[in-house]
Amino acid sequence: MKWEEARKIYVNKWILFESTDVHSEDGKRIVDELSVINVFDEGKEALREYAQKHKKDKNREMYVYHTKNEKLFIEERTWIGVRKNG
């Protein structure tokens, strides 16, 4: 589904979605297609579920975004540093 479709279906909601077709352009992630995982009234609930799902599988590209936003704006971040396991 496209972001525009999700906005029409889930008016004024927080959605947790997975990118199914995405690419990088000028330091941004451009989501061409997405799959809605869940819909929420409260952002905290959406972030809580995101954290649970991300903890189980860090390879999935998931985002939480509010449908009041006309466009998806997802800035890429470069992580620098050492991660300690354990």
Side-chain angles (χ1 to χ4, degrees):
M1 145 182 329
K2 304 275 188 208
W3 176 245
E4 295 79 18
E5 295 172 79
R7 290 187 69 229
K8 288 178 186 174
I9 296 169
Y10 307 108
V11 179
N12 201 30
K13 299 287 184 182
W14 288 94
I15 61 172
L16 169 60
F17 67 90
E18 183 171 7
S19 302
T20 56
D21 186 12
V22 65
H23 66 277
S24 296
E25 190 175 296
D26 298 325
K28 296 177 186 75
R29 293 298 281 164
I30 308 300
V31 179
D32 298 312
E33 292 285 330
L34 60 92
S35 176
V36 175
I37 298 170
N38 209 342
V39 181
F40 304 89
D41 291 322
E42 298 292 327
K44 287 181 183 180
E45 295 171 19
L47 290 172
R48 189 175 309 119
E49 185 167 327
Y50 165 84
Q52 290 170 350
K53 290 190 179 303
H54 181 71
K55 188 174 184 178
K56 290 179 183 176
D57 186 355
K58 292 180 175 48
N59 294 319
R60 293 176 72 185
E61 190 166 346
M62 296 178 290
Y63 300 99
V64 171
Y65 222 76
H66 198 280
T67 58
K68 71 179 178 185
N69 297 295
E70 287 185 38
K71 303 281 183 191
L72 287 174
F73 181 79
I74 303 169
E75 192 171 339
E76 288 185 314
R77 296 184 189 174
T78 304
W79 296 99
I80 300 173
V82 176
R83 180 176 287 177
K84 181 180 177 181
N85 287 336

